[in-house]
């Protein structure tokens, strides 16, 4: 496993990102706006993905694109080392869990899935090819 990092889904992501950088320091990197993707038409100005790098740690951020229940704004993002690893973790988490997005190839060149496990924890699985 390469890493396990929090992924924060929040209203006004840009303001939140700047606020946490002010408090924690670090460097904002890899901002991708929804404006750049045809599939997110109507969400112009929203942040699709951004990262706050703090030493060896990364907190991922995104604007909300759909309603979320209070308490479900933070998920755990797992960056896997191999296709075999992501498939194994996926199969184990879906046992008694719920698939939100099936494991599939993405437009950013990765295998990716979103799952809620049997305890209600949400996971974002990613293997960058």
């Amino acid at each position: 496993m390469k890493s396990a990092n929090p992924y924060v889904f929040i209203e006004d992501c840009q303001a939140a990102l700047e606020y946490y950088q002010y408090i924690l320091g670090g460097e904002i990197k890899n901002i991708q706006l929804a404006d750049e993707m045809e599939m997110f038409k109507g969400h112009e100005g929203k942040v699709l993905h951004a990262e706050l790098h703090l030493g060896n740690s990364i907190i991922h951020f995104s604007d909300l694109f759909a309603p979320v229940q209070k308490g479900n704004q933070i998920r755990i993002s797992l960056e896997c080392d191999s296709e075999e690893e992501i498939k194994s973790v996926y199969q184990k988490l879906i046992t008694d869990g719920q698939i939100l997005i099936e494991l599939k190839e993405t437009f950013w060149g990765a295998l990716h899935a979103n799952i809620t496990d049997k305890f209600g924890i949400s996971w974002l699985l990613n293997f960058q090819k």
Side-chain angles (χ1 to χ4, degrees):
M1 188 72 53
K2 282 186 181 179
S3 63
N5 297 297
Y7 208 123
V8 178
F9 296 86
I10 194 162
E11 294 266 356
D12 199 0
C13 180
Q14 186 66 45
L17 200 53
E18 291 168 6
Y19 173 75
Y20 291 118
Q21 182 187 36
Y22 167 74
I23 292 172
L24 303 171
E27 184 178 356
I28 297 171
K29 294 183 179 182
N30 301 322
I31 295 178
Q32 182 164 18
L33 299 176
D35 313 48
E36 300 165 9
M37 308 295 288
E38 182 64 32
M39 66 191 298
F40 289 100
K41 193 170 182 106
H43 295 284
E44 290 79 8
K46 287 191 168 194
V47 175
L48 181 60
H49 176 82
E51 300 169 356
L52 179 59
H53 289 243
L54 304 164
N56 293 327
S57 300
I58 301 171
I59 303 174
H60 302 271
F61 288 86
S62 176
D63 266 304
L64 296 174
F65 288 87
V68 293
Q69 293 182 345
K70 189 174 183 178
N72 194 24
Q73 290 175 275
I74 298 176
R75 299 175 187 161
I76 300 171
S77 177
L78 295 180
E79 188 64 41
C80 297
D81 282 318
S82 66
E83 195 166 322
E84 295 76 27
E85 183 177 49
I86 194 171
K87 287 179 178 179
S88 174
V89 171
Y90 177 80
Q91 289 301 318
K92 291 172 184 172
L93 283 173
I94 63 172
T95 303
D96 299 322
Q98 178 185 6
I99 299 170
L100 304 174
I101 296 177
E102 289 192 35
L103 184 63
K104 62 183 175 184
E105 302 252 349
T106 66
F107 63 86
W108 65 87
L111 275 177
H112 183 81
N114 293 2
I115 300 163
T116 300
D117 70 18
K118 67 180 184 177
F119 296 105
I121 304 298
S122 293
W123 299 84
L124 307 173
L125 308 181
N126 203 64
F127 168 62
Q128 192 67 43
K129 292 185 165 194

